[in-house]
Amino acid sequence: MEQWKMAVILAAVLAVCGWLWRTRKKREYRRSEYRAETGKRYKKVENSPGTEGEYQTSLALEKRVRGNRRFVFNAYIPCRSGGSTETDIVMIHEKGIFVIENKNYSGRVKGRADREYWEHIQSGRRQTFYSPVYQNLGHVRHIRRLLEERGYRLPMVSVVVFNDRLERLQVRRKGRDVIVCRSRRAPGAINRRLRRMERVLGERELEEVYEILKEQTRPFWWVRRGQKKRVEKLQRQRGNF
């Protein structure tokens, strides 16, 4: 009888702790810039590994990156050849633009910044995938062109972030000026880069750049559908590599 009572008490304590933990997480999310910018419900975020990883990266940056900055999420940047390319996170900082590609992998990742394809190893299986460094260079190029057309020539930094559930990350960055790291190390890596940069945007200019990029987060439905089809086509092609 005593064991039964202890089991009930333990289950109740665990249930209360779980409820308190979830309540704290939901409160933290409601106060985050990610929620303010995207308007996404917490349930949708926690049920999507990619979106949840994106949120965790942005939360780490929000808490620890120094200086005046704004975030833009999931912008559809127009390409010169037509269509658009979707970015994960763009941080507009008073010292420049940080274009962040967020990856949600488990297992191990091996690659080189100057190679077009990397290797993902999980449960003994090896699979090649397109280099996120190459992918993000395209994002940087299109953002640079968009801002230059509006009169802004700004320093830009490419950042590739893997979420912390990745067991091992082996990437040689030789030949590319890019930050590649896990989520928990991203704020430190960005702060170190910021120490070597000069302030280039005042508050008014920063808000203007933010508005230019924010405009790109509200595309017409056919832009989103076209981007989805292009991503699916690339995934099929890269799967046959």
Side-chain angles (χ1 to χ4, degrees), residues 9-11 58 113 122 135 154 158 161 186 216 222 226:
I9 292 171
L10 180 60
S58 71
Q122 185 177 21
Q135 181 184 4
L154 301 171
S158 175
V161 175
Q216 311 306 316
W222 59 80

Side-chain angles (χ1 to χ4, degrees), residues 34 40 42-57 88 102-106 161-165 183:
Y34 187 87
K40 294 178 180 178
Y42 180 70
K43 187 174 182 179
K44 182 177 181 179
V45 172
E46 69 175 349
N47 289 337
S48 170
T51 304
E52 201 272 338
E54 205 173 81
Y55 162 61
Q56 291 299 332
T57 296
D88 290 336
N102 197 83
K103 293 298 182 185
N104 191 47
Y105 282 84
S106 57
V161 175
F162 287 87
N163 291 124
D164 291 332
R165 71 192 190 102
S183 219

Side-chain angles (χ1 to χ4, degrees), residues 11-66:
V13 169
L14 291 174
V16 170
C17 288
W19 179 82
L20 290 174
W21 180 84
R22 180 173 168 79
T23 300
R24 182 176 66 85
K25 289 294 183 181
K26 290 176 70 174
R27 186 184 304 115
E28 183 179 54
Y29 178 72
R30 285 196 298 269
R31 295 173 179 174
S32 70
E33 291 189 43
Y34 187 87
R35 192 259 186 182
E37 289 292 330
T38 66
K40 294 178 180 178
R41 296 173 57 192
Y42 180 70
K43 187 174 182 179
K44 182 177 181 179
V45 172
E46 69 175 349
N47 289 337
S48 170
T51 304
E52 201 272 338
E54 205 173 81
Y55 162 61
Q56 291 299 332
T57 296
S58 71
L59 187 65
L61 300 178
E62 179 184 336
K63 289 180 176 181
R64 295 172 52 197
V65 169
R66 305 184 187 97

Side-chain angles (χ1 to χ4, degrees), residues 54 74-77 84-88 101 135 139 227 231:
E54 205 173 81
N74 309 122
Y76 290 78
I77 309 299
S84 63
T85 183
E86 185 182 5
T87 60
D88 290 336
E101 177 68 21
Q135 181 184 4
H139 296 160
Q227 173 65 14
V231 169

Side-chain angles (χ1 to χ4, degrees), residues 37-182:
E37 289 292 330
T38 66
K40 294 178 180 178
R41 296 173 57 192
Y42 180 70
K43 187 174 182 179
K44 182 177 181 179
V45 172
E46 69 175 349
N47 289 337
S48 170
T51 304
E52 201 272 338
E54 205 173 81
Y55 162 61
Q56 291 299 332
T57 296
S58 71
L59 187 65
L61 300 178
E62 179 184 336
K63 289 180 176 181
R64 295 172 52 197
V65 169
R66 305 184 187 97
N68 192 16
R69 78 284 182 281
R70 296 290 299 272
F71 292 97
V72 172
F73 302 97
N74 309 122
Y76 290 78
I77 309 299
C79 304
R80 179 169 291 173
S81 59
S84 63
T85 183
E86 185 182 5
T87 60
D88 290 336
I89 306 170
V90 180
M91 185 176 74
I92 305 109
H93 195 277
E94 60 187 354
K95 292 186 176 182
I97 308 294
F98 288 77
V99 184
I100 302 163
E101 177 68 21
N102 197 83
K103 293 298 182 185
N104 191 47
Y105 282 84
S106 57
R108 292 187 293 154
V109 165
K110 295 174 63 177
R112 286 178 49 167
D114 59 349
R115 295 288 175 85
E116 190 175 1
Y117 286 89
W118 291 9
E119 190 174 49
H120 177 218
I121 306 165
Q122 185 177 21
S123 301
R125 296 181 60 187
R126 295 174 181 265
Q127 186 176 10
T128 57
F129 67 102
Y130 190 61
S131 162
V133 169
Y134 274 55
Q135 181 184 4
N136 210 37
L137 285 175
H139 296 160
V140 170
R141 183 171 66 253
H142 295 307
I143 291 174
R144 189 189 306 278
R145 181 179 55 81
L146 175 67
L147 293 180
E148 286 181 352
E149 288 175 353
R150 306 292 183 91
Y152 284 96
R153 290 180 175 271
L154 301 171
M156 294 196 181
V157 180
S158 175
V159 184
V160 175
V161 175
F162 287 87
N163 291 124
D164 291 332
R165 71 192 190 102
L166 185 72
E167 295 169 15
R168 192 173 183 185
L169 178 63
Q170 297 173 273
V171 176
R172 292 182 61 185
R173 292 184 292 275
K174 185 178 179 181
R176 295 286 183 186
D177 182 21
V178 61
I179 295 172
V180 182
C181 61
R182 297 189 190 183

